[in-house]
């Protein structure tokens, strides 16, 4: 195939010259032709304007006196001009006074909005000219002329003819010149090409070529001659190297032997370094396991005691303090878990499960868990799950929940006002898998552009200064990214400082073979129902729009109360009333309760059923009845719960779920254990012994036997039969692993029935669970142990007709996420007797030890506060005051705790003078408190 690239250089040069010349010529002639055309049009308009001015001046009298005959005579003067086909004289109202037509009559050409404005218009083959006629500045009429363009086209044809002749002559001239010029340019190049072919064929590298000129082609000749000279020199050197090749090979061989010897030495060193690294990894893993045990063991005591204390009689202030302490301990446990998770991922020991899960339930559970925190901050937390999402997918619910909790928790944490929107969309679906996109969008503080590239790196925070407003370890997003990648997805973020953030990750999840197809009969019951959504928040309206469309409801939307009432009344007047209204509680002009009352008070709209969707918390039954509400749901609502409520309100029943009122809470069934069950508790830590014993008694197990190490447990199990063993793993003398292995060995040798053994350890890694099961244990409880989780696992092993349940520790925290503000009353007792008695009842014989510890520690803290005030050491002052406040609160020393809290507050605000002013009061109150505690302790001892 012949292309421009394959043409000889002669033709390339000729074609280049011709194309250039023709292009320039075409542009020049085109510009000239267009210019001539525009100039001819202007001349034609000018000519007609002159004629119109003359006729208009002569027609002033005829227009003033409406002399039709004179006007007709004036217009007949156009008969001498062949171009003018029609003319009109008009009065000020636009009515025709006289007209002229060259041939037959024609209708009016166009209409005008303003009669006193001139108009010039070219249309098809005619020119329309309209000019107003003024007399002494007063509009008295107008003249309109319609002219053909024959003269213009004739002139233009003449011009085009001349242009074509000029173009033809230019083309011929350009072809002749290019034919001669290309020879001058192409000759040196073709000769050089022929010379190169000869040199290549005969390898005559000592030959030189003669140049013609000193232009660029002459330089090319010089470069070619220089290249031939260098090739000749290289050939000479190559010949010399060939002669010395044998000596060079021998030398290189010796060097290679030396390099191999060095490489072997390096490999030996690397192997030694590898062994050292493996030893370090083992030491690190051992340290991590020990650290996990050592940290989580005291946490078990803290959370366990706090959990047990919740079941004791407490005042409101005590309950507030208890919730705050529990929340702080749980937050500390979350930080510990983050560090351990990061270590597991770094060590490559994190595994992802593939079990049947409900993605919708996981997302809605996390949103429900964090709804309280969002509600406290006045944020709108919305949750949308795609209605086409498969009910059951294969995945790891624990890790997915962990990622979502981190992302949504961060969104709530870093958003001061506005909303947090959680969306789960089905991107695409096949027969076996579904691609799911999770997004968390907020209107928070946003992330600076320079932070985004390193945001997912470990220990990275958007604000890493010591004065940052929001704390954290900097591991949450790192762990989330790594978990998403382990699940086969990727996470990304879009953010701008001050404009909020959107975190998105996509997962490819297999569809479970146990997938249940949703029955469409239930949804058909809602087909055709007319519903109205009233919400000022666009995101909430969008979520409801998707849900209601999928359920077959004919719905409309309103963003204001005024629009909603107009829509409802208009629909009623058109005999198409709405049957159901979804109301938002918080709206700018009128809240949802007030709007519902307006609807309730209107006889025409009273029959409409109303569902309140509130993000501000609980609405009392009295308020609902007074406003005429049919139901009330808290945001973020579950998709299934909204469907059930809608069905219930519209007098239908969901086949898959029974209505349970207006809340999503279900009371768990409490397991009742048979009398006489024998439990062996193997635990070396005294605090954990107390916690576990108290928990077991709380759930109804009273026959508890205690062993302080594995050897003692082995002996006790040899002489008595137990129904279940709770086994700690790390103990002196003999570990729980070793004791379990010996118990299982004895059972096999003596053919004894198998005793259920549940590991109860602070080691929280997946490999620790596997290690427990491999040692012969039947189940696993991670410290700190929650009493509900303990009850559920014991019920599984001791009550054989109770099916095992999936542990979801996060759900237990849902109702504990919100802590009330402390009591602000001015009068506080020196010792709160109810707190004192409850703690004494819980601690029992350990209570005197606790009092003695307080009597010893409180004066030391007082001394720290006093000396730090004198030295202006704010950090020591705040820390000591905080410790004294916390310990006093736990003991019921309310007055002392309040003064210590004030000192802590002033110290944090860097108001050292104000804090120092409170020290005298703190000292006197401490003396009174210590005296009161000593008296109470002595009285208790006398009673005992």
């Amino acid at each position: 195939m012949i292309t421009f690239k394959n043409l000889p250089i002669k033709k390339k040069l000729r074609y280049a010259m011709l194309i250039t010349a023709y292009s320039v010529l075409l542009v020049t002639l085109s510009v000239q032709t267009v210019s001539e055309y525009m100039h001819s049009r202007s001349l034609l308009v000018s000519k007609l304007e002159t004629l119109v001015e003359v006729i208009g001046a002569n027609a002033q009298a005829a227009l003033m006196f409406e002399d039709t005959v004179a006007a007709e005579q004036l217009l007949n003067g156009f008969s001498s001009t062949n171009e003018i086909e029609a003319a009109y004289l008009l009065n000020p109202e636009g009515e025709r006074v006289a007209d002229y037509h060259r041939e037959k009559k024609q209708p009016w050409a166009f209409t005008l909005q303003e009669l006193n404005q001139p108009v010039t218009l070219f249309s098809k083959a005619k020119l329309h000219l309209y000019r107003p006629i003024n007399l002494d500045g007063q509009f008295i009429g107008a003249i309109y002329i319609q002219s053909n363009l024959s003269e213009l086209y004739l002139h233009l044809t003449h011009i085009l003819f001349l242009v074509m002749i000029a173009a033809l002559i230019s083309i011929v001239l350009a072809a002749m010149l290019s034919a001669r010029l290309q020879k001058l340019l192409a000759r040196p190049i073709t000769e050089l090409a022929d010379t190169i072919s000869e040199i290549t064929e005969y390898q005559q590298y000592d030959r030189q070529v003669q140049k013609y000129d000193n232009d660029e082609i002459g330089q090319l000749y010089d470069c070619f001659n220089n290249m031939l000279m260098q090739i000749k020199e290289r050939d000479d050197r190559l010949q010399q190297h060939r002669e010395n090749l044998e000596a060079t090979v021998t030398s290189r061989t010796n060097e290679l032997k030396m390099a191999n010897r060095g490489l072997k030495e390096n490999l030996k060193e690397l192997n030694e370094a590898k062994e050292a690294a493996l030893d370090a990894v083992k030491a690190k893993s051992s340290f991590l396991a020990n650290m996990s045990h050592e940290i989580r063991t005291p946490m078990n005591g803290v959370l366990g005691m706090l959990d047990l204390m919740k079941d004791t009689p407490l005042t409101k202030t005590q309950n507030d303090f208890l919730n705050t302490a529990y929340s702080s301990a749980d937050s500390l446990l979350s930080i510990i878990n983050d560090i351990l998770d990061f270590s597991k991922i770094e060590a490559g020991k994190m595994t992802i499960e593939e079990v049947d899960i409900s993605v919708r339930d996981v997302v809605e559970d996390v949103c429900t868990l964090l709804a309280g925190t969002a509600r406290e901050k006045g944020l709108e937390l919305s949750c949308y799950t795609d209605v086409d999402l498969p009910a059951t997918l294969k995945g790891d619910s624990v890790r997915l929940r962990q990622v979502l909790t981190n992302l949504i928790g961060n969104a709530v944490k870093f958003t001061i006002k506005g909303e947090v929107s959680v969306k789960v969309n089905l991107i695409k679906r096949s027969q076996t898998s579904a691609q799911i996109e999770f997004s968390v969008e907020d209107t928070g503080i946003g992330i600076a552009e320079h932070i985004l590239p390193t945001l997912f790196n470990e220990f990275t925070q958007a604000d890493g200064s010591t004065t940052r407003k929001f704390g954290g370890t900097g591991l949450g997003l790192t762990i989330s990214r790594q978990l998403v990648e382990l699940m086969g997805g990727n996470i990304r973020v879009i953010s701008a400082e001050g404009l909020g953030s959107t975190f998105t990750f996509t997962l490819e999840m297999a569809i479970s073979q146990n997938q249940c197809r949703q029955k469409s009969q239930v949804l058909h019951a809602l087909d055709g129902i007319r519903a109205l959504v009233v919400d000022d928040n666009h995101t909430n309206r969008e979520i409801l729009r998707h849900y209601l469309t999928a359920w077959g409801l004919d719905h409309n939307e309103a963003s204001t109360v005024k629009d909603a009432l107009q829509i409802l009344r208009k629909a009623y007047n058109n005999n198409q009333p709405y049957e159901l209204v979804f109301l938002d509680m918080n709206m700018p002009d009128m809240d949802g309760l007030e709007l519902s009352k307006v609807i309730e008070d209107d006889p025409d709209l009273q029959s409409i059923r109303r569902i309140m969707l509130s993000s501000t918390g609980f609405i009392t039954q009295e308020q609902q009845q007074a406003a005429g509400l049919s139901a009330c749901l808290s945001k973020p609502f579950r998709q299934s719960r909204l469907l059930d409520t809608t069905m219930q309100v519209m007098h239908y029943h969901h086949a898959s779920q029974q209505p349970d009122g207006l809340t999503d809470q279900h009371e768990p069934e409490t397991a009742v254990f048979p009398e006489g069950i024998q439990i062996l508790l193997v635990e070396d830590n005294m605090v954990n012994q107390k916690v576990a014993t108290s928990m077991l008694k709380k759930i109804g197990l009273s026959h508890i036997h205690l062993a302080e190490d594995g050897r003692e447990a082995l002996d006790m199990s040899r002489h008595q039969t137990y129904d279940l063993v709770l086994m700690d793993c790390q103990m002196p003398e003999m570990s729980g692993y070793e004791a379990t292995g010996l118990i299982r060995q004895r059972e096999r040798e003596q053919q004894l029935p198998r005793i259920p053994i549940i590991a109860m350890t602070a080691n929280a890694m997946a490999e620790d669970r596997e290690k427990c099961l491999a040692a012969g244990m039947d189940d696993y409880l991670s410290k700190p142990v929650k009493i509900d989780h303990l009850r559920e696992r014991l019920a599984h092993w001791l009550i054989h007709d109770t099916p095992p349940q999936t542990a979801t520790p996060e759900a237990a925290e849902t109702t504990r996420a919100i802590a009330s503000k402390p009591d602000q009353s001015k009068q506080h007792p020196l010792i709160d007797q109810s707190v004192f008695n409850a703690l004494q009842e819980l601690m029992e014989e350990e209570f005197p030890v606790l009092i003695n510890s307080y009597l010893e520690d409180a004066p030391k803290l007082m001394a720290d506060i006093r000396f730090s005030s004198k030295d202006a050491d704010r950090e020591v002052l705040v820390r000591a005051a905080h410790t004294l406040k916390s310990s006093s609160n736990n003991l019921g020393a309310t007055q002392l705790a309040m003064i210590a809290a004030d000192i802590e507050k002033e110290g944090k605000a860097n108001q050292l003078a104000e804090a120092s002013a409170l020290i005298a009061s703190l000292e006197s109150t401490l003396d009174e408190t210590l005296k009161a505690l000593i008296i109470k302790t002595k009285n208790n001892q006398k009673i005992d």
Side-chain angles (χ1 to χ4, degrees):
M1 180 178 179
I2 299 177
T3 62
F4 185 80
K5 294 181 179 180
N6 300 330
L7 292 175
I9 188 129
K10 294 181 180 180
K11 292 186 178 181
K12 286 183 179 179
L13 289 172
R14 180 184 298 177
Y15 292 160
M17 294 177 187
L18 290 176
I19 291 173
T20 303
Y22 294 163
S23 300
V24 173
L25 178 63
L26 178 62
V27 172
T28 302
L29 295 179
S30 299
V31 171
Q32 183 178 359
T33 303
V34 173
S35 176
E36 186 64 29
Y37 173 69
M38 299 302 295
H39 180 66
S40 300
R41 283 179 44 152
S42 299
L43 290 177
L44 178 60
V45 172
S46 178
K47 173 183 175 183
L48 290 180
E49 284 181 339
T50 302
L51 184 60
V52 166
E53 289 178 1
V54 174
I55 298 299
N58 293 330
Q60 291 178 354
L63 291 173
M64 289 293 294
F65 300 103
E66 296 184 357
D67 189 351
T68 306
V69 176
E72 292 283 355
Q73 291 177 356
L74 282 173
L75 294 181
N76 289 333
F78 286 123
S79 60
S80 61
T81 305
N82 295 330
E83 292 82 5
I84 297 177
E85 296 183 351
Y88 298 89
L89 273 177
L90 310 174
N91 59 18
E93 289 75 21
E95 299 174 350
R96 186 182 306 174
V97 176
D99 54 19
Y100 163 77
H101 301 282
R102 175 168 295 280
E103 297 177 357
K104 60 183 180 178
K105 288 194 174 184
Q106 299 180 1
W108 181 250
F110 58 87
T111 58
L112 298 172
Q113 299 295 330
E114 298 181 3
L115 298 176
N116 60 348
Q117 296 296 325
V119 176
T120 302
L121 176 66
F122 283 89
S123 64
K124 295 183 180 180
K126 298 185 184 299
L127 169 63
H128 302 271
L129 196 69
Y130 174 86
R131 292 293 184 270
I133 300 174
N134 298 314
L135 180 60
D136 296 332
Q138 181 181 1
F139 176 64
I140 61 172
I143 182 170
Y144 163 73
I145 295 177
Q146 186 180 93
S147 172
N148 61 45
L149 302 179
S150 58
E151 180 180 355
L152 175 63
Y153 291 156
L154 181 62
H155 179 69
L156 185 61
T157 303
H158 178 68
I159 293 300
L160 290 175
F161 178 73
L162 293 178
V163 166
M164 293 299 294
I165 293 177
L168 183 61
I169 295 174
S170 299
I171 290 172
V172 174
L173 183 60
M176 294 173 60
L177 291 175
S178 64
R180 295 186 60 83
L181 290 175
Q182 60 87 16
K183 293 181 179 179
L184 297 175
L185 296 175
R187 178 182 174 187
I189 298 174
T190 54
E191 289 186 359
L192 179 60
D194 295 338
T195 303
I196 292 174
S197 298
E198 292 178 2
I199 292 174
T200 303
E201 182 177 359
Y202 299 107
Q203 297 183 357
Q204 299 173 349
Y205 297 114
D206 55 350
R207 179 177 172 181
Q208 297 289 311
V209 294
Q210 187 68 31
K211 67 179 182 179
Y212 291 91
D213 302 308
N214 291 323
D215 55 4
E216 287 80 2
I217 297 177
Q219 294 177 7
L220 179 63
Y221 273 59
D222 292 338
C223 292
F224 181 72
N225 289 332
N226 188 25
M227 181 186 67
L228 292 177
M229 185 182 300
Q230 292 180 8
I231 292 175
K232 182 66 171 59
E233 292 176 356
R234 289 180 182 178
D235 284 346
D236 295 340
R237 289 198 300 270
L238 180 60
Q239 183 63 32
Q240 184 178 359
H241 283 307
R242 287 175 180 172
E243 295 174 356
N244 300 328
L245 180 59
E246 186 174 352
T248 303
V249 170
T250 303
S251 175
R252 293 292 185 270
T253 302
N254 293 331
E255 292 177 1
L256 183 59
K257 289 180 180 180
M258 295 295 295
N260 286 336
R261 189 178 298 111
L263 181 60
K264 290 180 180 179
E265 295 176 356
N266 290 336
L267 287 175
K268 182 179 179 181
E269 294 176 359
L270 288 175
N271 286 329
E272 293 175 354
K274 175 185 174 183
E275 295 298 327
L278 291 176
D279 292 339
V281 170
K282 292 179 181 178
K284 178 180 178 182
S285 300
S286 177
F287 169 75
L288 183 62
N290 291 329
M291 181 185 70
S292 170
H293 184 272
E294 294 301 324
I295 294 177
R296 295 174 70 88
T297 295
M299 286 301 299
N300 178 56
V302 173
L303 286 173
M305 282 299 183
L306 293 176
D307 214 353
L308 291 172
M309 193 178 294
K310 289 185 177 182
D311 296 331
T312 62
L314 299 173
T315 65
K316 182 177 183 298
T317 302
Q318 293 168 343
N319 190 59
D320 291 340
F321 293 159
L322 177 61
N323 285 334
T324 302
Y326 192 92
S327 177
S328 300
D330 206 37
S331 299
L332 178 59
L333 183 62
S334 298
I335 295 174
I336 295 170
N337 288 334
D338 278 349
I339 297 173
L340 295 178
D341 280 343
F342 177 73
S343 301
K344 284 190 289 183
I345 295 173
E346 188 182 45
K349 295 183 178 181
M350 179 70 75
T351 58
I352 300 297
E353 294 183 343
E354 289 289 334
V355 297
D356 289 351
I357 65 171
S358 170
V359 172
R360 179 180 290 109
D361 289 346
V362 171
V363 175
E364 291 176 344
D365 284 346
V366 175
C367 289
T368 301
L369 175 65
L370 297 172
T373 305
R375 191 177 296 119
E376 280 188 339
K377 298 183 68 174
L379 303 178
E380 187 86 15
L381 176 59
S382 60
C383 177
Y384 167 72
T385 55
D386 200 321
V387 293
D388 296 325
L389 201 66
T392 309
L393 296 166
K394 291 287 187 181
D396 191 326
S397 61
V398 175
R399 297 308 173 189
L400 178 60
R401 187 188 306 273
Q402 184 176 352
V403 174
L404 291 171
T405 301
N406 184 271
L407 295 182
I408 301 173
N410 280 352
V412 174
K413 176 180 177 182
F414 294 107
T415 302
I416 307 300
K417 62 179 181 179
E419 64 176 323
V420 175
S421 177
V422 182
K423 296 181 180 179
V424 182
N425 289 304
L426 177 64
I427 304 302
K428 62 180 180 180
R429 174 176 178 171
S430 64
Q431 293 293 330
T432 58
S433 66
Q435 189 177 33
I436 313 297
E437 181 186 72
F438 303 81
S439 68
V440 179
E441 182 178 0
D442 63 67
T443 58
I445 60 176
I447 304 168
E449 185 177 359
H450 69 279
I451 297 294
L452 289 176
T454 60
L455 183 63
F456 293 102
N457 293 349
E458 56 268 19
F459 309 111
T460 297
Q461 293 175 311
D463 181 7
S465 65
T466 58
T467 59
R468 67 181 185 267
K469 183 176 181 181
F470 305 99
T473 61
L475 286 176
L477 289 178
T478 301
I479 295 172
S480 297
R481 173 183 62 82
Q482 293 172 334
L483 288 177
V484 169
E485 291 176 352
L486 285 174
M487 290 187 286
N490 60 85
I491 189 169
R492 53 198 179 276
V493 59
I494 300 174
S495 183
E497 197 167 7
L499 299 178
S501 307
T502 301
F503 286 84
T504 306
F505 65 94
T506 306
L507 297 179
E508 190 81 23
M509 308 182 74
I511 298 177
S512 173
Q513 298 298 324
N514 299 323
Q515 173 74 18
C516 298
R517 298 187 177 274
Q518 186 178 14
K519 296 182 179 181
S520 60
Q521 292 87 343
V522 176
L523 299 182
H524 289 334
L526 298 176
D527 284 349
I529 291 178
R530 285 177 57 79
L532 178 65
V533 177
V534 186
D535 199 321
D536 62 315
N537 186 280
H538 173 74
T539 303
N540 291 334
R541 295 201 307 273
E542 182 182 2
I543 291 173
L544 285 172
R545 183 189 312 137
H546 285 288
Y547 288 166
L548 299 184
T549 300
W551 298 340
L553 276 77
D554 182 11
H555 62 281
N556 202 349
E557 301 174 14
S559 59
T560 64
V561 172
K562 180 180 179 181
D563 292 344
L565 292 174
Q566 288 179 351
I567 293 173
L568 291 174
R569 289 181 177 129
K570 182 178 179 181
Y572 178 82
N573 294 333
N574 293 336
N575 293 325
Q576 294 179 337
Y578 285 92
E579 304 170 65
L580 179 63
V581 176
F582 294 91
L583 299 172
D584 180 35
M585 181 59 187
N586 293 329
M587 290 185 288
D589 298 330
M590 180 187 297
D591 64 31
L593 282 176
E594 294 174 345
L595 175 57
S596 183
K597 291 178 182 178
V598 172
I599 296 175
E600 182 70 15
D601 295 338
D602 192 328
D604 296 335
L605 306 179
Q606 192 176 32
S607 61
I608 300 176
R609 300 174 188 181
R610 280 145 277 158
I611 298 177
M612 176 68 73
L613 304 176
S614 171
S615 59
T616 57
F618 181 72
I619 300 176
T620 64
Q621 190 68 29
E622 291 77 10
Q623 290 177 313
Q624 296 180 34
Q625 292 176 355
L629 293 174
S630 304
C632 182
L633 290 178
S634 295
K635 298 179 184 176
F637 46 79
R638 298 174 185 268
Q639 183 186 145
S640 59
R641 185 66 186 134
L642 179 64
L643 175 59
D644 290 339
T645 303
T646 305
M647 298 284 289
Q648 180 182 357
V649 167
M650 299 311 296
H651 301 295
Y652 299 110
H653 299 280
H654 200 308
S656 64
Q657 190 173 10
Q658 293 296 329
D660 55 354
L662 301 178
T663 65
D664 292 327
Q665 298 176 356
H666 301 274
E667 292 294 332
E669 296 183 1
T670 302
V672 179
F673 298 96
E675 290 289 339
I677 289 181
Q678 303 291 325
I679 302 293
L680 175 60
L681 173 62
V682 188
E683 175 64 66
D684 64 306
N685 184 278
M686 184 177 297
V687 176
N688 288 341
Q689 291 173 2
K690 182 61 180 174
V691 171
T693 302
S694 301
M695 285 185 174
L696 291 171
K697 290 180 179 179
K698 284 286 184 182
I699 63 178
L701 296 170
S702 57
H703 301 283
I704 305 167
H705 303 262
L706 180 64
E708 295 189 353
D709 57 52
R711 190 176 303 280
E712 185 177 353
L714 187 63
D715 294 337
M716 294 177 66
S717 64
R718 183 180 294 113
H719 297 95
Q720 182 174 344
T721 301
Y722 295 98
D723 297 287
L724 185 139
V725 178
L726 290 172
M727 181 76 73
D728 187 26
C729 293
Q730 295 187 10
M731 293 177 293
E733 298 295 331
M734 181 182 290
S735 69
Y737 303 117
E738 186 178 356
T740 301
L742 293 175
I743 291 174
R744 295 303 184 212
Q745 181 180 356
R746 186 179 64 208
E747 289 174 347
R748 290 192 299 269
E749 292 174 352
Q750 301 179 14
Q751 296 183 351
L752 299 174
R754 182 182 178 95
I755 303 174
I757 300 178
I758 299 179
M760 195 165 61
T761 175
N763 293 335
M765 292 188 175
E767 57 268 23
D768 296 315
R769 176 185 177 89
E770 296 171 359
K771 185 177 180 180
C772 292
L773 299 178
M777 300 179 187
D778 299 287
D779 209 336
Y780 176 92
L781 285 172
S782 176
K783 296 178 183 177
V785 178
K786 304 294 180 63
I787 190 169
D788 292 336
H789 195 197
L790 176 63
R791 179 189 291 112
E792 183 267 321
R793 299 320 300 160
L794 292 180
H796 169 56
W797 292 105
L798 297 176
I799 306 175
H800 301 292
D801 57 350
T802 301
Q805 301 173 1
T806 302
T808 57
E810 296 85 347
E813 310 304 323
T814 303
T815 59
R816 303 173 183 167
I818 305 174
S820 306
K821 293 183 179 180
D823 190 2
Q824 297 296 329
S825 61
K826 297 182 180 179
Q827 300 297 328
H828 299 282
L830 188 65
I831 301 293
D832 192 325
Q833 193 62 40
S834 60
V835 176
F836 187 86
N837 293 339
L839 190 60
Q840 184 179 16
E841 179 183 354
L842 183 64
M843 297 297 295
E844 296 178 353
E845 67 276 3
E846 296 179 3
F847 186 67
V849 179
L850 177 65
I851 295 296
N852 291 333
S853 298
Y854 181 82
L855 294 176
E856 182 180 348
D857 293 339
K860 296 179 180 178
L861 294 172
M862 184 69 245
D864 290 341
I865 293 174
R866 189 185 308 111
F867 292 132
S868 62
S869 174
K870 293 180 181 179
D871 298 338
D873 192 339
R874 187 173 68 90
E875 292 185 2
V876 175
L877 176 71
V878 171
R879 182 172 64 251
H882 176 79
T883 304
L884 182 59
K885 177 195 71 174
S886 301
S887 59
S888 300
N889 267 329
N890 290 334
L891 201 59
T894 311
Q895 285 188 15
L896 186 64
M898 293 299 292
I899 300 174
D902 291 337
I903 294 177
E904 179 189 9
K905 178 181 178 182
E906 298 296 343
K908 287 182 177 179
N910 207 17
Q911 303 292 333
L912 295 181
E914 288 78 356
S916 299
L918 297 171
I919 292 179
S921 176
L922 183 69
E923 285 182 320
S924 61
T925 306
L926 176 62
D927 291 339
E928 296 176 7
T929 302
L930 294 180
K931 292 177 182 178
L933 287 175
I934 293 173
I935 293 173
K936 287 181 178 293
T937 303
K938 290 181 179 180
N939 292 336
N940 289 338
Q941 290 175 351
K942 291 179 181 180
I943 294 173
D944 294 340

